[in-house]
Amino acid sequence: MLREAAFRRYWSAQTVSLVGDQITIIAVPLVAVLVVGAGPAQMGFLTAAALLPNLFLSLPAGAWVDRRPIKRQVMIVADLSRAVLLLAVPLLWWADALTLPLLAAVAFAVGTFSLLFEVAHASLFASLVRREDYVDANTLLNGSRAASYVVGPSAAGALVQWLTAPVALLVDAASYLWSAAFLRRVQVSETASAPADKTGMTAGVGFVARSAVLRAVLLGATTLNLFNYIFAALFVLYVTTSLHIAPGTLGLIIGIGSIGGLLGAALAGPLSRRIGIGPAVIVGFVLFPAPLILVPWAEGPLTLAALVTAEFLAAAGVMILDIAVGSVQTAATPPTMLAVVSGLERTVNYGIRPIGALLGGALGTLIGVRPALWVATVGALLGVLWVVFSPVRGLKELPEVSPA
């Protein structure tokens, strides 16, 4: 597939952007903690700000993107906009004007353009990739994601420690500019837009509601993400203040642990062919959240080993989950509805994340950060139940497209 110029450029754009995303994930919370002085509740609000667009804008954005004749242009505009927004953070810091509300506003705006990028990505992917190549293409893309988990956090930790957190965001801004440059060179005949009554928000909701496969996967992922973002809102705060892990060490822990993502990406294809795509989805739903129980368990001389192990196994699990689920969702959806269905999935699945983040901040304040992490890590395992008791469990091959 990498011999095909259009897919190679698309894959390159995704790869560069993903590395930048990982820098943001580490650098923005560290800006809040180390520069602005945020506490548990403030970290919850900041995480929620970045995710709120998914709750309110994903479905209308998906319906809008499905009616655009060239989805690639939407992705390019989103990349350029994110670059400009991230450049504002170090400028505000240098002007001694950076505050938590401003940082939250930037996070919200970046999240808005990120969701536009992602819902357009679903349609462009289907235009570039043959159905029989979905798993292999998702393996390449998620392999890049796994590599970004290795390179990005390590680079972010080093950049924050050497140059300060705001300056580290300059690298992320540059990555979005590179992504836009690669996407401009992608030449592909995109799927023709369908009539408005076939791609609107109501059509997307109705289609997913009728599909037992899409419904089960969506509800399982939503449950997992609710608890995982309780975890995400408190993780950086917990390891830096309670476990006394330095930013550079934190970046290395996440980077080294994320090598597991490379293993998961390599195993996803063979695993789905050996045991079936449905059972592979179930493996991902368990292997992603279960190892994170080691984070609140970690203490004393075993702390670093526990954190690395948790990151390694969770990274392997999330790659298997993303590759298998992404392939199932694309295969089960008509090409003309990919953006609106992706928008609905983000509204429910990603929209639950700011709720989780706010709950994380509240739980961390009310019962303490460590007990809140126990709730988050154990609760995330409940997501697999939606998939186990559904037709997904019996899928050996990718599902056929249901009638729109």
Side-chain angles (χ1 to χ4, degrees):
M1 295 188 66
L2 292 178
R3 287 195 294 268
E4 300 176 8
F7 181 82
R8 184 174 64 250
R9 290 164 183 164
Y10 162 77
W11 170 77
S12 298
Q14 291 285 95
T15 300
V16 172
S17 181
L18 285 167
V19 173
D21 288 344
Q22 292 307 306
I23 294 174
T24 298
I25 288 171
I26 298 296
V28 169
L30 286 174
V31 168
V33 172
L34 302 177
V35 177
V36 183
Q42 289 79 17
M43 291 300 291
F45 284 122
L46 178 64
T47 305
L51 298 169
L52 277 174
N54 295 289
L55 181 60
F56 295 110
L57 303 177
S58 290
L59 187 54
W64 179 78
V65 168
D66 265 332
R67 296 176 192 144
R68 305 278 72 74
I70 306 177
K71 281 74 172 178
R72 182 172 56 90
Q73 289 181 346
V74 176
M75 298 171 71
I76 292 171
V77 170
D79 271 337
L80 295 175
S81 299
R82 288 184 288 182
V84 171
L85 286 163
L86 288 173
L87 283 171
V89 176
L91 292 176
L92 288 168
W93 176 64
W94 285 326
D96 198 25
L98 184 61
T99 64
L100 187 64
L102 286 174
L103 191 60
V106 170
F108 179 86
V110 169
T112 299
F113 285 107
S114 292
L115 83 85
L116 281 171
F117 185 95
E118 290 299 327
V119 296
H121 150 78
S123 295
L124 185 60
F125 176 89
S127 297
L128 283 165
V129 180
R130 297 177 293 272
R131 176 185 172 87
E132 59 269 23
D133 293 329
Y134 282 174
V135 172
D136 289 338
N138 274 313
T139 296
L140 281 170
L141 292 171
N142 283 281
S144 293
R145 187 180 301 276
S148 76
Y149 292 162
V150 176
V151 175
S154 300
L159 287 169
V160 168
Q161 197 151 312
W162 297 339
L163 303 175
T164 71
V167 177
L169 292 176
L170 292 174
V171 178
D172 193 12
S175 75
Y176 288 127
L177 295 176
W178 277 103
S179 174
F182 279 120
L183 284 171
R184 285 190 71 251
R185 300 179 61 205
V186 173
Q187 301 298 320
V188 62
S189 297
E190 298 193 34
T191 303
S193 301
D197 62 341
K198 297 293 185 181
T199 59
M201 292 185 284
T202 302
V205 172
F207 178 77
V208 174
R210 292 190 301 270
S211 172
V213 168
L214 291 177
R215 190 172 63 245
V217 169
L218 177 59
L219 289 171
T222 300
T223 302
L224 191 159
N225 278 296
L226 171 65
F227 288 98
N228 190 51
Y229 270 77
I230 295 174
F231 177 91
L234 300 172
F235 175 71
V236 170
L237 178 66
Y238 178 69
V239 298
T240 54
T241 60
S242 297
L243 299 182
H244 308 293
I245 303 295
T249 305
L250 173 59
L252 287 173
I253 288 170
I254 297 173
I256 293 171
S258 295
I259 294 172
L262 296 172
L263 177 63
L267 291 176
L271 181 67
S272 64
R273 287 187 286 270
R274 183 173 182 83
I275 67 175
I277 191 70
V281 169
I282 293 173
V283 169
F285 265 105
V286 174
L287 187 56
F288 170 27
L292 297 178
I293 292 172
L294 291 171
V295 173
W297 174 85
E299 60 182 347
L302 295 177
T303 296
L304 290 178
L307 293 178
V308 170
T309 301
E311 292 294 327
F312 184 91
L313 294 178
V318 76
M319 286 299 110
I320 293 171
L321 180 65
D322 284 354
I323 291 168
V325 166
S327 299
V328 167
Q329 289 175 331
T330 304
T333 306
T336 55
M337 297 184 70
L338 279 167
V340 70
V341 169
S342 175
L344 173 61
E345 290 165 350
R346 291 181 71 87
T347 299
V348 180
N349 180 8
Y350 283 64
I352 202 69
R353 297 180 181 192
I355 297 173
L358 292 172
L359 284 174
L363 283 173
T365 301
L366 291 173
I367 67 175
V369 175
R370 190 175 187 184
L373 289 174
W374 277 113
V375 172
T377 52
V378 174
L381 288 167
L382 298 175
V384 72
L385 297 179
W386 293 104
V387 180
V388 168
F389 298 105
S390 80
V392 175
R393 182 182 60 185
L395 289 176
K396 296 299 181 184
E397 305 290 339
L398 290 174
E400 295 299 321
V401 177
S402 301

